[in-house]
Amino acid sequence: MDFEFFFQQLINGITLGGVYALIALGYTMVYGIIQLINFAHGEFFAAGGYMGVILISYLSAQGLHPYACLGISLVLAMGYCALLAMAVEQLAYKPLRQASRLAALLSALGMSIFLQNGLMLTQGVYDKAYPTEITSGGVEWGLISVSYMQMFIVSLTVLLLLGLNLLVFKTRIGRAMRATSQDKVMSALVGINSNRIIAITFAIGAALAAAAGIMVGLYYGSVSYSMGFVPGIKAFAAAVLGGIGNITGALVGGLIIGMVEIFAAGYISGEYKDVFAFIILIGVLYFKPTGIMGENVDDTRV
Amino acid sequence: MKRLIVLAVALAALGLFLAGCGEEKAGEKVLKVGTMSPLTGPYAADGNDIRQGAEIAVEVFKEAGGIEGFTNIEVIPQDTACDPKQAVAAANKLINDQVSAVVGAYCSSSTIPSSETLAEENIIMLTPASTSPKVTERGLPYMFRTCGRDDHQAPAAVKFMKEVEDVKTIFIVDDKTTYSQGLAEGVATAAKAVGIEVLEHDHVNQGDKDYSAVLTKVKSANPDLFYISLQNSATGALMVIQAKRMGIDAILMGQDAVYHPQLMEIAKSDSEGMYCTFGAIDKDAPKYKEFLSKYKEKTGNEPGAYSAYAFDSATAYLMAVKEAGTSDPAKVREALLKIDFTGASKQVKYQENGDSGSNYTVYKITDGKFVPYWNSLTGEKY
């Protein structure tokens, strides 16, 4: 009984942590490359969720198989958010690249408010429901139940992470990203178009956030225009916790925040879960300001 | 060149803004009614329902020829975002706009402070949705309430659990708002009094999407009934979906803030069989039908939970002004206390303290609709 309770919470925690990790990756990559905390990142997550529900509803109305709908929508929404992020970068961050960091940070906050209100005005204030036929079903062992959706979220997170790792460490673009993050001027001198690399970094981060948005929409059944804010803050905490700028760190941080939240809610009370998540964050920052995976920041950060 | 264009656009925008002001012509007497509700934020769905309900009441009055002595009736909507500070700011804004009455607010936590501000200027406030007992217990002469009270809702819900479902154990979850927590505590107290065991009373945070941790607790506690007291129907729907997916087979019961068409829209078949307490609405009443057709025509939506209450609040006020022949608050108050009419939501008859009585009914979600199931006043099933 107690073991089953623990195990069920463990599964819940991994699922939630996986979502946080995917959003945190975008924060961490953008920070790694231009030292900007992109507060508008949570809004890419929300925009991805909305794009997902619009596309899935449209495609299922055309009579496509639910899984085909999901697959196509996932790819298209990721592409859409990648373009959106590149546009945001061009508009709000690129002109400020030589300005103080505070200016860019304020621009990011402004962008976040702008995007959130844009979503509200175009999509309405009501929550939008995801079709449920894709998401039902699961496996049960006694008291423990794992839904197919949870399995899907975890496996997609792992898949996307592996893909990202391959991209960063095994391709030319990845090498250029790592070089740019170490020294923009020097890498430009050896022929790397740093503006292009920065745009690509934004695009990849936003695409991952969009995937997280769709998974959250499917998992919880609906999306709302303000859904980006809280997970955005949590994912930011996860990125800092893992060592901001570090990809593995974002994954570890996301999982820790997700687990702490779920276990605090499960064993103490739901009202304290955020408190504990942030106490851990403060503790890590106090004793190890670089974050958990912060040591070898120079060669792994993007 | 670029700067010139930016300047031109800015000036044009300013021009539009200025053109918006100064419309009021001298000598005309316009009756201004404010509405206060959360038009943005997580409660925007209910808030927009309230605004639209009041607007439709005004439209109905205008079509019927308006009110003698006034050239026009105007609605000025304000956003409270369910935030006490913003609600007080909204109240001040409405005072500046010289409204004579306000329909609102939604959250009790914003109705209470903003009503104090309005009371200083003797402005009548009619709340369609704030159910906290405190709203009418402060002795404010111009505070009226069209909906029911939490201290009536909680016993009604518990009576249903005991008498109809023969529930032995319950698990309660609220989201810590003034309203949801107060109601949940009311349910816990009432339940203990009739011998129902409260296995646990847990809390979640507003804006949470993931309830898996608390639902795992519910599952292992295995209660007969799971009482959901959340301030928002969309989050209520999320909790219902996740509860079903987790395989919780307890009876699900919610309250008036969860009662909204949005619940079924999001939770779909997962919400089937869930119970909710809400004021009884006679959907066959002519006034309700009139309201419904107008509402659909104007908004293209089904009315939300509090649309009819907002409609009735505004209607009651306009009737009272018509009766009194003036917008003078003391005279309108007198007329309001005399009013007794069948509204879209219920029989509206204000008592001396401003309340209009509660008539909680338990609704059961059947085929994607709220169907009246049990009447708390008579204790009988429909």
Side-chain angles (χ1 to χ4, degrees), chain A residues 95-113:
Chain A
L96 295 172
R97 202 154 294 151
Q98 307 306 327
S100 74
R101 273 202 211 177
L102 189 62
L105 194 71
L106 288 176
S107 180
L109 276 174
M111 212 58 214
S112 162
I113 295 166

Side-chain angles (χ1 to χ4, degrees), chain B residues 21 58 113 116 135 150 167 191 212 216 222-223 227 232 244 254 316 334:
Chain B
C21 310
V58 167
E116 308 268 345
V135 169
D150 289 340
V167 165
S212 51
T216 302
N222 196 20
Y227 190 78
N232 184 338
K244 282 283 147 119
E334 245 170 67

Side-chain angles (χ1 to χ4, degrees), chain B residues 18-345:
Chain B
L18 288 175
C21 310
E23 263 176 305
E24 208 171 323
K25 292 177 202 103
E28 283 190 359
K29 214 171 167 202
V30 177
L31 184 64
K32 290 179 178 171
V33 180
T35 72
M36 283 178 21
S37 54
L39 302 177
T40 56
Y43 313 114
D46 279 313
N48 280 291
D49 293 342
I50 288 171
R51 176 178 60 82
Q52 285 165 353
E55 280 172 354
I56 283 161
V58 167
E59 205 155 287
V60 167
F61 254 79
K62 276 188 187 167
E63 276 170 22
I67 298 176
E68 215 174 307
F70 296 95
T71 50
N72 198 3
I73 313 172
E74 214 179 284
V75 180
I76 307 175
Q78 283 292 320
D79 182 12
T80 61
C82 194
D83 171 43
K85 291 190 293 293
Q86 199 170 328
V88 171
N92 280 318
K93 174 82 181 29
L94 290 174
I95 291 169
N96 278 337
D97 286 343
Q98 296 177 326
V99 300
S100 54
V102 172
V103 174
Y106 170 72
C107 299
S108 295
S109 50
S110 35
T111 307
I112 293 168
S114 59
S115 64
E116 308 268 345
T117 312
L118 294 172
E120 285 169 22
E121 303 293 326
N122 292 337
I123 292 171
I124 291 175
M125 188 180 203
L126 305 102
T127 177
S130 299
T131 49
S132 164
K134 276 194 201 127
V135 169
T136 47
E137 276 174 3
R138 292 161 301 149
L140 295 180
Y142 297 122
M143 183 80 231
F144 292 88
R145 162 158 47 202
T146 317
C147 57
R149 285 166 63 117
D150 289 340
D151 49 355
H152 297 155
Q153 179 167 203
V158 171
K159 194 175 163 202
F160 171 78
M161 295 173 195
K162 180 82 185 165
E163 289 178 11
V164 182
E165 292 293 331
D166 192 26
V167 165
K168 304 270 188 296
T169 53
I170 58 172
F171 193 113
I172 303 175
V173 170
D174 70 54
D175 63 3
K176 291 195 300 179
T177 57
T178 313
Y179 155 78
S180 72
Q181 195 168 357
L183 181 63
E185 275 159 13
V187 168
T189 318
K192 279 174 204 151
V194 297
I196 295 176
E197 190 190 348
V198 180
L199 295 176
E200 203 168 331
H201 179 177
D202 207 339
H203 314 273
V204 294
N205 297 310
Q206 288 183 70
D208 277 355
K209 288 220 180 256
D210 189 293
Y211 300 115
S212 51
V214 74
L215 289 171
T216 302
K217 273 179 163 176
V218 176
K219 194 178 179 190
S220 63
N222 196 20
D224 290 344
L225 185 142
F226 176 33
Y227 190 78
I228 301 170
S229 178
L230 302 178
Q231 180 126 27
N232 184 338
S233 53
T235 50
L238 294 183
M239 194 171 259
V240 169
I241 295 174
Q242 292 175 38
K244 282 283 147 119
R245 258 184 225 161
M246 194 151 278
I248 290 171
D249 45 17
I251 302 166
L252 298 179
M253 185 162 192
Q255 25 71 324
D256 56 334
V258 181
Y259 178 97
H260 193 281
Q262 209 180 208
L263 177 68
M264 288 85 93
E265 218 166 274
I266 297 171
K268 302 200 181 69
S269 60
D270 288 334
S271 65
E272 279 294 302
M274 180 182 179
Y275 297 109
C276 279
T277 42
F278 196 76
I281 287 184
D282 181 7
K283 294 200 167 158
D284 297 322
K287 192 78 188 167
Y288 184 80
K289 283 186 176 157
E290 183 194 339
F291 158 75
L292 185 68
S293 68
K294 265 260 170 304
Y295 196 93
K296 277 191 182 159
E297 180 192 311
K298 187 165 181 261
T299 65
N301 284 327
E302 287 284 323
Y306 288 105
S307 309
Y309 281 120
F311 175 81
D312 283 350
S313 304
T315 304
Y317 175 70
L318 296 173
M319 281 168 76
V321 171
K322 199 169 184 175
E323 190 66 37
T326 165
S327 60
D328 177 67
K331 288 188 181 133
V332 175
R333 177 185 142 85
E334 245 170 67
L336 263 175
L337 287 175
K338 276 187 210 135
I339 269 177
D340 190 355
F341 74 102
T342 313
S345 60

